[in-house]
Amino acid sequence: MKTARKNRLLLILTLVAGVGLAALLVSLAFRENLTFFFTPAQVAAGEVRPGQPFRVGGLVIPGSVERQPDGVTVRFRLTDTRAEVPVQYTGVLPDLFKEGQGIVARGTLDGTGLFVADQVLAKHDENYMPPEVADALKAQGAMPDHEMMRKMQP
Amino acid sequence: MRTSLATAWWAVLRRDLLLSARRLGELGNPVVFFAAVVSLFPLALGADAGLLRSVGPGIVWVGALLACLLSLEGLFRADFEDGSLEQLLLSPHPASVLVSAKILAHWLVTGVPLLLITPLLGVLLNLPPLAQTVLFGGLLLGTPTLSLLGSVAVALTLGLPRGGLLISVLLLPLFAPVLVFGAGAVGSALLEMPVLPYFYMLGAELALAVTLVPLATAAALRASLGS
Amino acid sequence: MRTSLATAWWAVLRRDLLLSARRLGELGNPVVFFAAVVSLFPLALGADAGLLRSVGPGIVWVGALLACLLSLEGLFRADFEDGSLEQLLLSPHPASVLVSAKILAHWLVTGVPLLLITPLLGVLLNLPPLAQTVLFGGLLLGTPTLSLLGSVAVALTLGLPRGGLLISVLLLPLFAPVLVFGAGAVGSALLEMPVLPYFYMLGAELALAVTLVPLATAAALRASLGS
Amino acid sequence: MIAFFSRWASLPAFYRRAGRWIPWLWAVAAGLLMAGTVGGLVLAPVDYQQGEAYRILFVHVPSAWMAMFVYMFMAGASASAFIWHVKLAEILARVSAPLGAAFTALALATGSLWGARMWNTWWVWDARLTSVLLLFFLYLGFMALQAAIEDRRRAARAGAVLALVGVVNIPIIHYSVEWWNTLHQGATVSKFDNPSMTWDMLWPLLTMALGFMVYFAAAVLVRARSEILERERHRRWVIDEVTR
Amino acid sequence: MTTTNEAATLAAIDLACVRGDRSLFQGLSFALVRGTLLKVEGPNGVGKTSLLRILAGLARPEEGEVRWNGKAIGGCPDFAADRRYLGHHNGHGLALTVRENLRVAAALQGTPCAGASLEQAMETVGLAHAGDSPVARLSSGQRRRLALARLILGAAGVWILDEPLNALDRAGQVLFGGLLRDHLLGRGVAVISTHQTLTLPAGIRQQTLTLAVSS
Amino acid sequence: MTTTNEAATLAAIDLACVRGDRSLFQGLSFALVRGTLLKVEGPNGVGKTSLLRILAGLARPEEGEVRWNGKAIGGCPDFAADRRYLGHHNGHGLALTVRENLRVAAALQGTPCAGASLEQAMETVGLAHAGDSPVARLSSGQRRRLALARLILGAAGVWILDEPLNALDRAGQVLFGGLLRDHLLGRGVAVISTHQTLTLPAGIRQQTLTLAVSS
Ligand code: HEM
Ligand SMILES: Nc1ncnc2c1ncn2[C@@H]1O[C@H](COP(=O)(O)OP(=O)(O)OP(=O)(O)O)[C@@H](O)[C@H]1O
Ligand SMILES: Nc1ncnc2c1ncn2[C@@H]1O[C@H](COP(=O)(O)OP(=O)(O)OP(=O)(O)O)[C@@H](O)[C@H]1O
Ligand SMILES: [Mg+2]
Ligand SMILES: [Mg+2]
């Protein structure tokens, strides 16, 4: 009988220890970057070297979009409000792509600090509302931030 | 006066290791399978060196995973068929603890040999030294998790005809995270980016599996034998 | 007055198909395994679409091969364990012919479902239509060869504990030519080069296997049971 | 309390009670789904970012929620079947798996359809999408296991172990959008304190979600009833019930 | 009936067993006091094996429970240590030798076992010369004898044996009779199913449970 | 001795068997004329199963040969059609029903089998009610009965049976006695190993081969 109780206690202790250790390790992992996702500020700070493939996310700076003469290549700049990254992409852009839109681009930095993307995905924010409401909020300056922006702020 | 749990645990571990040692020829099997799968891909993909280098770590991990999967089938089957497993469950000692000895034996006999030849394969795939260390470290943390998770699936499918395939179906979702973080670590190392977060995740999975799996496996064995 | 060989052959085929039908849930297993292996690679390789497209056909072939390999284990095992195989060998009819019925049943139950989902995977991997046709044709010629060759290995390893791994070790070199020509054909089609020579080779292998394998398998079964 | 529960969970009583509830549940589900569809497709305004295309949300979000909810339901039923040997719980776990798999498939299909329009890709291997795919495989594994084991009691216990092992995946699905930088958007509605969605869009969404839930309840009861009949086909009460 | 259960070593209370869709037995109760042999009889397929597996704790009854010294047997390690079960399968590792198998069995059963008592047990069942042979090389009767050796390692109060005489030769059957007699005289209880005749000396308390096919 | 072989249905000539590193028997010869039962006896592990497998053609003897109607049995389909073997394993597909198993057995044995004779065989062994149950759901004795049904499908001249009484209940043992008697009276031969007593009516030709442990 006594052994039974001792065993149960041991069992619970092991469970707590195991799950606790796992939680600790996971939280340590989340302190670091697991997904090759970098903000323009991190890129500007030189956290990635040219040639390393990674993803960069941010808002397309209004007025920065220029079509190249070949008709299929675009250049624009991305920002997280603290720094900017110039991006070049050749291919079909997503429907949602427009100035001020959140996007995630994948590619590499060339030697000059230009990000050459091989894929551009749109990442809209999590707000759903009719256009009139959006306009009104914008006019008041009360439009909620794009979630990507919020997450990127330290 | 009863023998201690530790004695029984050791006896089970020793028994399984002895059984494997008796079939020394088979100790090599997972390793040969592993090496063969890894060398099948160059055959299937043609000899594009650049392509191979970039898919190399992924292939090594998938190979290790499949080798483990195949060897798992034998984890309880023989014992089930000859009635040894019945006797194990009838023991006064907690089945989950005894089962953990069997799983450990499985890892020692299949996971460790895989680890031992990984450096060789790393050289063949032309991986830089850092990536090789990371591959080894990842497998060191990952293969015990594979053995552990595998044991649950094997226990669940015990005695079912064509259990082999069912095991794979059950295991693939369970193995996927190990694969993602294990292969991810090597990929990261190849790009000279930080690998520690991957190791944390692999470690977390191992910690969870070590504590929870023996209980689940013991329960699964009881279910399989109870009918 | 004895029943004809054809009756016995049909009876064996029908029996094995019936046994599979009884476990209808399991019919899907090779397919699920196949689909799962094919989707493991994106996990291990990371999400690079270009890389995936170029390794796609190789992965499909390796996946089919592994699915076949796993399902082979069950080809004779249950029959061996319950003594049915003994009774098969004791029959007055030539064992090689009866065995060919078992192999055909295996292909019908595992190879054919694989064929049926290949078009789907082809679409997922973004293969052009021609390459998809070639992939399908290659698997149509290749999977029966896999079942046939597999049966020899299974027969040789019958009753050995951990036969599963041993089978793989024996089979990987035998399967390699099928893999090379099968994946080669798709690669060639992707480059819009002629694929016929590959098909001739696959056909030659199939012809050889169909004629020789049943004899070899029957002999291997006798050897495994005789001791 | 226990006596009440065991009486409630007794199969014949449950069979009859469920038979009475099912027509009502179907009616409620149909009403809610219809209201939600009209509300979502006709009444709700267009979105300021996504235009009309966002309307797929009215199917995607409820089915994604149900995919997770059904798994939790199945795991809960499995656990109580395992611990207290409640037969009814075994049956509920078994019959809800295919429904859960169907919801998951629907979430995957609508999600990638939507992603093709909005993100410019059908599929990415990000944490949210991958973990949902694994959830789908878990359902398939559970179903394959049930199909492979003939003895129902063994199948139930084996399934329970598998379902409980797989539960780890659920929080990962839910929190993946916060833990990792996924392409998939973060929480909109499930930030209950302050949903970032206007009421005109929210109410059809919630109506649809409720409709899905009631549909699930009705479908589970129907399937459970036929499972009960099959299991107990040799019992006196079933024979009485069927010949009546 | 319930009042006598407390004194009994092993008691079955209102057991019911369902296999597939057949109900094998219902409301089956008995109580065995120390030193009693319960013979379970009945035609093929009546449910003897099913009953024995329930008594051993390997399977769960549909209804009812099994008690050992007044306690339910589920999850009770003391019962597990006091019970020996021998089913259709002998439970030996085929690649291990006779001696290795016995050593593992002792550790699992929880009987501390000096080498001498292992040798003693092998001697008793007539396998002394085969201590170092792998079980895979033994004949079916020799394997059954090894299973008997496991039974007598360390004293156990409850024996549950499913057709123990299967595959045993004449000498083996006599040997088993002797072991069983000693066990019962040592105040153990035994539940045995067998289609062969068990001859025991007079004075040993025997009960017979004859299962009949339920409609 | 060799002169009588021609008349014999089944004859063993100078058989020797070695297993592992032990020689089990050497120079073993016998000849059975129609209507004879050969009982193979001997203690556990002496080599009965090994001998029976050689006689059935499943294993090859170290030396000597087995003849059937004067011909060596190796690769002789007529012998295969005339011989039934029942070993430790019953040889049923577990997921198939009783009836399906019998049908396959008939096709394999080469006995053309109308449905009626299948039903008849099931009736005889007492499995008529279980025709549609998968074998996985039968008890050990019921499975053994199914194996007996296979034996009596289509008349065969030679029966080789290894412990056929295992797992059979009393009624089953009586049933088997009857089947064996009919077989022998129908001028068949049988080679049987068993540790239990076979009671046969007087007037049936019986021989006993007692194997002894060779030094
Ligand atoms: C195959 C692709 C997709 C999968 C597997 C998927 C999966 C899921 C899941 C599991 C949830 C429930 C999360 C939770 O409640 O914890 C969810 C919610 C949601 N998804 Fe998706 N999704 C996919 C694509 C998309 C796309 C393309 C969009 C929009 C562009 C989208 C928009 C949403 C929204 C708005 C929610 C509700 C968020 C909330 O408030 O909880 N999903 N999705
Ligand atoms: N696979 C094997 N490898 C080596 N030796 C074996 C093998 N199988 C059996 N033997 C040896 O052959 C001997 C005879 O075995 P066999 O099974 O023929 O005995 P048996 O007379 O049928 O005994 P029983 O009455 O126990 O069934 C055994 O003593 C054993 O040592
Ligand atoms: N796995 C199973 N699934 C369903 N039913 C089964 C299963 N195993 C046995 N049964 C049923 O249970 C009944 C009793 O089986 P059990 O093995 O307990 O009989 P038994 O009394 O030991 O018979 P025997 O004397 O032949 O060994 C059988 O008639 C069979 O129909
Ligand atoms: Mg029995
Ligand atoms: Mg024998």
Side-chain angles (χ1 to χ4, degrees):
Chain A
M1 212 60 312
K2 230 173 72 200
T3 53
R5 198 175 308 135
K6 210 177 72 193
N7 279 348
R8 187 159 314 138
L9 193 69
L10 256 169
L11 176 76
I12 292 172
L13 282 182
T14 352
L15 283 186
V16 170
V19 175
L21 179 61
L24 177 75
L25 288 170
V26 171
S27 67
L28 278 179
F30 287 136
R31 296 238 179 101
E32 311 211 23
N33 188 350
L34 243 178
T35 45
F36 302 145
F37 185 95
F38 291 87
T39 60
Q42 285 173 306
V43 175
E47 286 190 26
V48 252
R49 285 183 304 107
Q52 287 182 345
F54 66 98
R55 298 190 296 151
V56 61
L59 299 186
V60 179
I61 297 182
S64 73
V65 181
E66 355 164 331
R67 295 237 161 234
Q68 300 306 104
D70 66 357
V72 282
T73 304
V74 230
R75 283 194 178 196
F76 51 87
R77 277 174 295 133
L78 277 186
T79 183
D80 58 354
T81 69
R82 285 175 297 157
E84 295 181 5
V85 182
V87 179
Q88 170 179 311
Y89 174 68
T90 307
V92 187
L93 286 167
D95 286 2
L96 273 186
F97 183 88
K98 58 176 191 272
E99 303 191 334
Q101 175 66 45
I103 64 139
V104 176
R106 197 191 55 205
T108 51
L109 283 179
D110 72 1
T112 66
L114 175 68
F115 185 83
V116 182
D118 57 25
Q119 191 186 36
V120 171
L121 302 172
K123 183 161 175 165
H124 58 78
D125 63 40
E126 80 284 26
N127 301 310
Y128 288 80
M129 59 188 82
E132 316 83 67
V133 179
D135 291 342
L137 281 180
K138 273 184 200 148
Q140 294 168 16
M143 186 70 178
D145 279 343
H146 192 290
E147 82 179 287
M148 188 163 51
M149 294 298 118
R150 255 187 293 113
K151 251 192 221 169
M152 280 177 185
Q153 307 311 321
Chain B
M1 203 194 67
R2 213 184 295 161
T3 53
S4 74
L5 180 53
T7 318
W9 191 87
W10 269 111
V12 173
L13 181 65
R14 217 178 132 259
R15 166 185 186 278
D16 277 25
L17 291 178
L18 256 178
L19 273 173
S20 310
R22 288 286 144 78
R23 333 218 140 251
L24 207 63
E26 281 164 34
L27 262 182
N29 280 347
V31 176
V32 178
F33 175 81
F34 180 45
V37 164
V38 172
S39 47
L40 271 184
F41 274 92
L43 289 180
L45 298 182
D48 179 344
L51 187 62
L52 270 183
R53 192 158 322 123
S54 53
V55 297
I59 291 177
V60 169
W61 263 96
V62 173
L65 196 148
L66 293 174
C68 176
L69 211 120
L70 277 177
S71 70
L72 273 170
E73 259 250 78
L75 178 53
F76 296 120
R77 201 181 70 215
D79 289 356
F80 174 66
E81 279 160 10
D82 64 26
S84 305
L85 209 53
E86 235 167 50
Q87 296 296 333
L88 188 101
L89 290 186
L90 288 169
S91 163
H93 302 297
S96 53
V97 178
L98 300 179
V99 155
S100 72
K102 292 188 85 72
I103 302 174
L104 177 58
H106 178 262
W107 181 70
L108 290 175
V109 172
T110 61
V112 170
L114 287 190
L115 278 178
L116 295 183
I117 65 149
T118 312
L120 201 80
L121 293 178
V123 172
L124 283 181
L125 291 169
N126 242 333
L127 295 182
L130 177 65
Q132 286 197 33
T133 320
V134 171
L135 182 61
F136 187 87
L139 286 171
L140 184 63
L141 283 174
T143 46
T145 315
L146 297 183
S147 288
L148 282 159
L149 292 176
S151 75
V152 184
V154 182
L156 286 173
T157 58
L158 216 51
L160 302 179
R162 294 238 237 135
L165 268 177
L166 193 57
I167 293 175
S168 327
V169 174
L170 296 181
L171 274 186
L172 287 170
L174 297 181
F175 278 6
V178 182
L179 182 69
V180 169
F181 296 119
V186 191
S188 201
L190 278 176
L191 301 175
E192 302 184 18
M193 309 233 272
V195 296
L196 224 56
Y198 295 93
F199 281 131
Y200 289 144
M201 292 304 288
L202 286 174
E205 280 173 314
L206 180 57
L208 261 192
V210 163
T211 40
L212 299 181
V213 155
L215 296 171
T217 304
L221 286 178
R222 277 192 202 292
S224 291
L225 287 176
S227 71
Chain C
M1 200 196 62
R2 214 184 293 159
T3 53
S4 73
L5 180 53
T7 319
W9 191 86
W10 269 111
V12 173
L13 180 64
R14 216 177 134 261
R15 166 183 186 277
D16 278 23
L17 291 179
L18 255 179
L19 273 173
S20 311
R22 287 289 143 74
R23 334 217 137 250
L24 207 64
E26 281 165 35
L27 263 182
N29 282 348
V31 176
V32 177
F33 175 79
F34 180 43
V37 165
V38 173
S39 49
L40 270 184
F41 275 92
L43 290 181
L45 297 183
D48 180 341
L51 188 62
L52 272 182
R53 193 161 316 127
S54 54
V55 297
I59 291 177
V60 169
W61 263 95
V62 173
L65 196 148
L66 293 175
C68 177
L69 212 120
L70 274 178
S71 70
L72 274 169
E73 258 250 81
L75 180 51
F76 296 120
R77 199 181 73 212
D79 290 357
F80 173 66
E81 278 159 12
D82 63 26
S84 305
L85 210 52
E86 234 168 52
Q87 297 295 335
L88 189 101
L89 290 184
L90 288 168
S91 164
H93 302 299
S96 53
V97 179
L98 300 180
V99 157
S100 72
K102 291 189 85 71
I103 301 174
L104 177 58
H106 178 261
W107 181 69
L108 289 176
V109 172
T110 60
V112 171
L114 286 191
L115 279 177
L116 295 182
I117 65 148
T118 313
L120 200 82
L121 293 178
V123 172
L124 282 182
L125 290 169
N126 243 334
L127 294 182
L130 176 67
Q132 285 195 35
T133 321
V134 171
L135 182 61
F136 188 85
L139 286 171
L140 184 62
L141 283 173
T143 45
T145 316
L146 296 184
S147 288
L148 282 161
L149 292 177
S151 75
V152 185
V154 182
L156 282 172
T157 56
L158 216 52
L160 303 179
R162 293 240 237 137
L165 267 179
L166 196 56
I167 294 175
S168 329
V169 174
L170 290 177
L171 273 186
L172 287 171
L174 290 179
F175 279 6
V178 182
L179 181 70
V180 171
F181 297 120
V186 190
S188 203
L190 278 176
L191 301 175
E192 302 186 16
M193 308 231 279
V195 296
L196 228 55
Y198 293 97
F199 279 123
Y200 290 145
M201 292 306 290
L202 286 175
E205 280 173 315
L206 179 56
L208 258 190
V210 165
T211 41
L212 297 182
V213 156
L215 296 171
T217 304
L221 286 179
R222 275 191 205 293
S224 291
L225 287 177
S227 70
Chain D
M1 168 62 195
I2 287 171
F4 167 78
F5 187 69
S6 69
R7 191 145 29 84
W8 196 86
S10 103
L11 295 185
F14 177 82
Y15 181 87
R16 296 196 191 101
R17 187 175 302 115
R20 267 178 275 123
W21 287 356
I22 285 170
W24 294 104
L25 288 173
W26 281 133
V28 173
L32 284 171
L33 289 176
M34 230 132 49
T37 311
V38 172
L41 295 191
V42 183
L43 301 180
V46 297
D47 179 53
Y48 80 108
Q49 284 185 99
Q50 306 186 22
E52 298 285 351
Y54 90 98
R55 293 190 195 277
I56 200 166
L57 165 142
F58 296 109
V59 182
H60 171 73
V61 177
S63 54
W65 285 343
M66 289 308 290
M68 295 159 66
F69 169 78
V70 174
Y71 196 91
M72 292 307 289
F73 176 78
M74 191 174 93
S78 287
S80 39
F82 197 82
I83 301 169
W84 296 297
H85 306 283
V86 189
K87 262 199 214 162
L88 179 60
E90 288 177 6
I91 290 171
L92 290 178
R94 185 184 172 107
V95 300
S96 51
L99 294 169
F103 284 127
T104 313
L106 190 61
L108 284 168
T110 51
S112 52
L113 214 68
W114 198 358
R117 282 297 303 279
M118 288 302 138
W119 300 335
N120 201 23
T121 177
W122 292 87
W123 186 262
V124 288
W125 290 98
D126 87 354
R128 165 62 64 84
L129 274 58
T130 307
S131 53
V132 174
L133 188 66
L134 294 185
L135 179 71
F136 186 60
F137 279 128
L138 278 174
Y139 275 122
L140 288 188
F142 184 91
M143 285 154 61
L145 193 63
Q146 298 293 310
I149 304 179
E150 251 181 78
D151 184 273
R152 305 267 168 149
R153 279 168 73 205
R154 175 179 167 190
R157 300 184 75 70
V161 173
L162 184 66
L164 291 174
V165 168
V167 161
V168 186
N169 197 25
I170 296 292
I172 293 180
I173 295 179
H174 184 70
Y175 291 111
S176 54
V177 290
E178 284 178 32
W179 289 345
W180 288 284
N181 252 307
T182 53
L183 189 56
H184 194 283
Q185 66 158 76
T188 293
V189 190
S190 36
K191 306 186 288 189
F192 279 109
D193 47 338
N194 180 22
S196 344
M197 184 181 267
T198 49
W199 177 247
D200 294 349
M201 298 174 178
L202 193 56
W203 77 257
L205 176 60
L206 295 180
T207 313
M208 279 300 257
L210 201 61
F212 270 53
M213 184 72 97
V214 180
Y215 165 82
F216 168 70
V220 156
L221 291 187
V222 170
R223 291 174 54 84
R225 265 166 63 98
S226 59
E227 176 78 14
I228 289 175
L229 280 193
E230 183 161 347
R231 264 201 196 206
E232 307 267 286
R233 63 184 176 281
H234 298 278
R235 292 286 168 95
R236 189 77 247 158
W237 73 266
V238 172
I239 297 165
D240 292 346
E241 190 79 27
V242 173
T243 52
R244 201 175 53 190
Chain E
M1 178 148 261
T2 11
T3 50
T4 63
N5 284 341
E6 264 40 59
T9 306
L10 192 69
I13 298 170
D14 248 352
L15 293 182
C17 173
V18 175
R19 307 239 28 194
D21 36 51
R22 272 185 54 210
S23 154
L24 295 180
F25 47 79
Q26 278 169 301
L28 191 147
S29 301
F30 59 78
L32 301 179
V33 298
R34 294 179 170 286
T36 316
L37 165 67
L38 177 70
K39 284 195 286 188
V40 181
E41 297 191 346
N44 287 143
V46 79
K48 301 179 292 299
T49 299
S50 309
L51 172 62
L52 264 52
R53 288 179 68 86
I54 290 173
L55 294 179
L58 275 171
R60 228 176 266 274
E62 190 73 12
E63 277 161 33
E65 74 178 4
V66 181
R67 292 209 189 139
W68 172 78
N69 293 338
K71 286 176 299 204
I73 60 167
C76 165
D78 292 324
F79 170 68
D82 197 39
R83 169 259 295 119
R84 298 281 181 277
Y85 172 77
L86 178 56
H88 287 307
H89 292 114
N90 293 313
H92 313 311
L94 294 185
L96 295 183
T97 66
V98 167
R99 186 173 292 110
E100 285 162 351
N101 264 300
L102 273 184
R103 202 168 292 139
V104 174
L108 280 184
Q109 293 176 353
T111 15
C113 239
S117 63
L118 291 188
E119 303 302 321
Q120 173 67 44
M122 295 196 305
E123 180 80 42
T124 311
V125 298
L127 288 176
H129 65 284
D132 292 322
S133 315
V135 171
R137 300 227 186 99
L138 300 185
S139 76
S140 54
Q142 289 169 324
R143 293 180 196 191
R144 204 68 181 163
R145 282 165 179 259
L146 177 53
L148 293 185
R150 196 177 58 216
L151 221 53
I152 54 177
L153 274 185
V158 180
W159 283 8
I160 297 173
L161 315 177
D162 200 357
E163 311 210 25
L165 296 182
N166 254 1
L168 288 181
D169 60 11
R170 296 275 151 78
Q173 295 173 15
V174 172
L175 166 74
F176 174 74
L179 297 179
L180 180 60
R181 188 199 52 218
D182 296 346
H183 172 68
L184 294 171
L185 291 179
R187 308 192 31 74
V189 303
V191 182
I192 298 186
S193 84
T194 176
H195 299 298
Q196 290 173 255
T197 15
L198 281 175
T199 33
L200 282 176
I204 284 188
R205 208 179 291 130
Q206 296 191 25
Q207 282 172 250
T208 304
L209 174 69
T210 307
L211 296 177
V213 182
S214 66
S215 58
Chain F
M1 180 148 257
T2 14
T3 52
T4 62
N5 286 343
E6 261 45 56
T9 307
L10 191 71
I13 298 169
D14 248 353
L15 293 182
C17 172
V18 176
R19 304 228 45 182
D21 41 22
R22 270 183 57 208
S23 154
L24 295 180
F25 47 79
Q26 275 169 306
L28 189 148
S29 302
F30 59 79
L32 301 178
V33 298
R34 292 177 173 289
T36 316
L37 164 67
L38 178 69
K39 285 196 286 189
V40 181
E41 297 191 345
N44 286 144
V46 78
K48 300 179 293 297
T49 298
S50 308
L51 173 61
L52 264 54
R53 287 179 71 88
I54 290 174
L55 293 177
L58 274 171
R60 231 177 262 279
E62 189 73 12
E63 276 162 35
E65 73 178 4
V66 181
R67 293 209 187 136
W68 172 78
N69 292 338
K71 286 178 298 203
I73 60 167
C76 167
D78 292 325
F79 170 67
D82 198 37
R83 171 260 291 120
R84 299 279 181 279
Y85 171 77
L86 177 56
H88 286 308
H89 291 114
N90 294 313
H92 314 309
L94 295 184
L96 295 181
T97 66
V98 167
R99 187 174 290 109
E100 286 161 351
N101 264 300
L102 274 183
R103 202 169 289 138
V104 173
L108 279 184
Q109 294 175 354
T111 13
C113 239
S117 65
L118 289 189
E119 302 303 321
Q120 173 66 48
M122 293 194 309
E123 180 78 44
T124 311
V125 299
L127 289 177
H129 65 281
D132 293 321
S133 315
V135 171
R137 298 227 188 101
L138 300 185
S139 76
S140 55
Q142 289 169 322
R143 294 179 194 194
R144 204 69 183 165
R145 281 163 180 261
L146 177 54
L148 293 184
R150 197 176 60 215
L151 222 54
I152 56 176
L153 273 186
V158 180
W159 282 8
I160 297 172
L161 315 178
D162 200 358
E163 312 209 23
L165 297 182
N166 254 3
L168 289 181
D169 60 10
R170 294 275 151 78
Q173 295 173 15
V174 171
L175 166 75
F176 174 76
L179 297 178
L180 180 60
R181 188 198 54 218
D182 296 347
H183 172 69
L184 294 170
L185 291 178
R187 306 192 32 70
V189 302
V191 182
I192 298 184
S193 83
T194 175
H195 299 297
Q196 287 172 258
T197 14
L198 282 176
T199 32
L200 283 176
I204 283 188
R205 209 178 291 128
Q206 293 191 26
Q207 281 173 248
T208 304
L209 174 67
T210 307
L211 295 177
V213 181
S214 66
S215 57

